[in-house]
Amino acid sequence: MFFLYRLYHFILKCIVIFIGIPNPQLHKNKNGLTNAIKALQLTEQSYVLLITDHTLQELGIPTSIISEVQHHKLNVVVFDQVLPNPTIENVQRGFELYKKHQCQAIISVGGGSVIDCAKLIGAKAVRPNKAVTDFKGLFKVLKRLPPNIAIPTTSGTGSETTVAAVVNCPNTHIKYAATDFVLVPHHAVLLPELTTSLPPHITATTAIDALTHAIEALLSINCMAFSQKRALEACTLIFDNLPTAYSEATHSHARSQLLSASFYAGQAFTRTSVGYIHAISHQLSANYNSPHGLANAILLMPVLQWYGERIQSHMALIARHCQLTSLDHPIERQADDALNEAHPDYPVPVFMSHYECENIIKSVSTVD
């Protein structure tokens, strides 16, 4: 059985090598938004379906996007009923609104749930006779989606650059994952100002979601040079910028870097797929409605510990690339400071030598 699994993995790798995965056209900041809207090439007074969720709509997050679209003499229809774990009904209702107003393009403003829902609404727009559940699996759309733009408001899912979309069936507690090259958004716009309202705990869990994408991409037996490069870039950006974004919500540079990290991690795992962390995480989300990023954050360490020595070289690669093993001060000085603190104040059971202290510090600050 496992042999057949590996054969399937090999086929997927060949698809990436010989066919390739499309990338969205990447735009950044307000000028990028303007360019993305122009690139839709719509005639004046065309209708655009803007997809978001109710919370973002109440916070006014899509307001600036709507204004910019209208500035280009386009009409905007808003669908803001996407749930945190989007349902088949969400997709169906969004599609009905798209069809009712004869929309010509789709813009998604939100996290991975919103962007995934928008992808499947686009799939329904070009395959109206198919049920949403029929898109489950590989290459079930196979038709170019309407012109579309994905604008993430969290720095986690990377859905703005991936080939996948996930939808939930509340009745059966089953998640349906659709995978097709045509699901990659045509344009991705990264606007850090849209992420500054995220509370610290969501900032953290979404960033760990992106970190999980990067790490599982690196662990994949299908990981090749491009995915490795993007995954390592994502890891570095997250380690360097998450503490600042967590403590300083409006820090534009840190927010921008986390958006880039999410995008890079998305590029990495959409070519390698993910692993056990996501497999288990999806069950928690389907059965307990757990936020996907939080579920990944909870599962990350237990699964990595289960892999154990089998992934030691991969973890060492991450540690070296992200400079997690580098020290701000020489080890000798750290040993001095540690022993000066301990002696004579701490009533330790046995005294440690300077050499022994250095070895302990080395053992936790380097990876073979």
Side-chain angles (χ1 to χ4, degrees):
M1 180 65 71
F2 290 126
F3 170 76
L4 294 177
Y5 293 165
R6 287 307 190 205
L7 178 61
Y8 173 68
H9 299 154
F10 176 73
I11 292 171
L12 293 179
K13 187 173 184 177
C14 289
I15 290 173
V16 173
I17 293 172
F18 296 109
I19 299 178
I21 306 291
N23 283 305
Q25 186 171 345
L26 179 61
H27 310 266
K28 294 185 178 183
N29 304 317
K30 292 180 180 179
N31 289 338
L33 174 61
T34 299
N35 293 335
I37 295 171
K38 289 179 179 178
L40 295 176
Q41 297 183 327
L42 301 178
T43 58
E44 290 185 6
Q45 304 309 316
S46 294
Y47 279 81
V48 175
L49 181 66
L50 188 140
I51 301 168
T52 188
D53 63 45
H54 186 63
T55 299
L56 291 175
Q57 179 73 338
E58 282 194 330
L59 292 172
I61 299 298
T63 302
S64 61
I65 312 298
I66 294 171
S67 297
E68 185 64 26
V69 175
Q70 291 173 334
H71 178 73
H72 288 80
K73 299 181 180 179
L74 300 172
N75 296 304
V76 180
V77 179
V78 176
F79 175 65
D80 64 358
Q81 301 303 308
V82 181
L83 296 176
N85 285 305
T87 65
I88 293 171
E89 185 181 3
N90 291 160
V91 175
Q92 188 62 39
R93 286 190 176 182
F95 164 63
E96 289 169 0
L97 196 60
Y98 180 94
K99 184 171 60 174
K100 176 182 177 181
H101 292 275
Q102 297 182 324
C103 295
Q104 299 298 310
I106 295 173
I107 298 177
S108 50
V109 182
S113 298
V114 169
I115 297 173
D116 278 8
C117 188
K119 291 177 180 181
L120 293 173
I121 290 171
K124 279 288 292 182
V126 298
R127 297 288 191 190
N129 295 324
K130 274 197 170 187
V132 176
T133 53
D134 290 339
F135 297 128
K136 179 182 179 180
L138 296 176
F139 308 117
K140 299 297 180 62
V141 185
L142 293 175
K143 190 173 183 180
R144 183 175 173 82
L145 270 56
N148 61 80
I149 301 172
I151 305 174
T153 58
T154 64
S155 305
T157 69
S159 186
E160 68 276 7
T161 186
T162 67
V163 298
V166 179
V167 68
N168 184 43
C169 179
N171 296 328
T172 61
H173 300 294
I174 294 175
K175 278 187 175 287
Y176 293 89
T179 303
D180 199 310
F181 293 165
V182 298
L183 294 178
V184 176
H186 301 154
H187 303 274
V189 181
L190 307 184
L191 300 171
E193 62 270 20
L194 299 187
T195 68
T196 56
S197 63
L198 290 175
H201 71 282
I202 295 180
T203 298
T205 56
T206 53
I208 297 303
D209 185 16
L211 182 64
T212 303
H213 293 151
I215 290 174
E216 291 206 299
L218 284 165
L219 298 181
S220 170
I221 65 168
N222 282 1
C223 187
M224 293 179 286
F226 178 81
S227 292
Q228 183 183 93
K229 177 183 177 182
R230 284 308 202 208
L232 290 173
E233 287 174 330
C235 289
T236 298
L237 290 174
I238 292 166
F239 286 127
D240 288 349
N241 294 280
L242 177 55
T244 301
Y246 182 88
S247 59
E248 302 177 44
T250 59
H251 197 289
S252 181
H253 178 71
R255 292 289 186 180
S256 178
Q257 295 292 74
L258 288 182
L259 279 172
S260 294
S262 178
F263 185 86
Y264 294 154
Q267 286 184 311
F269 89 82
T270 206
R271 288 159 175 78
T272 65
S273 197
V274 282
Y276 285 125
I277 298 170
H278 274 74
I280 301 172
S281 172
H282 287 158
Q283 310 320 307
L284 298 182
S285 297
N287 286 278
Y288 306 110
N289 209 33
S290 305
H292 176 66
L294 176 60
N296 277 353
I298 292 170
L299 291 164
L300 178 59
M301 288 309 300
V303 174
L304 293 181
Q305 288 169 347
W306 175 80
Y307 282 123
E309 293 184 357
R310 290 167 289 190
I311 62 167
Q312 188 176 49
S313 62
H314 299 84
M315 302 313 292
L317 176 64
I318 296 172
R320 287 194 298 269
H321 189 273
C322 300
Q323 298 183 338
L324 301 181
T325 61
S326 64
L327 299 176
D328 295 331
H329 305 285
I331 291 177
E332 183 178 351
R333 174 64 182 275
Q334 291 193 5
D336 284 339
D337 292 343
L339 296 181
N340 286 337
E341 178 180 331
H343 303 156
D345 291 345
Y346 300 164
V348 293
V350 62
F351 290 114
M352 180 183 293
S353 71
H354 194 282
Y355 174 76
E356 291 168 331
C357 188
E358 281 190 20
N359 282 341
I360 288 176
I361 295 173
K362 289 177 182 177
S363 71
V364 298
S365 62
T366 59
V367 181
D368 295 330

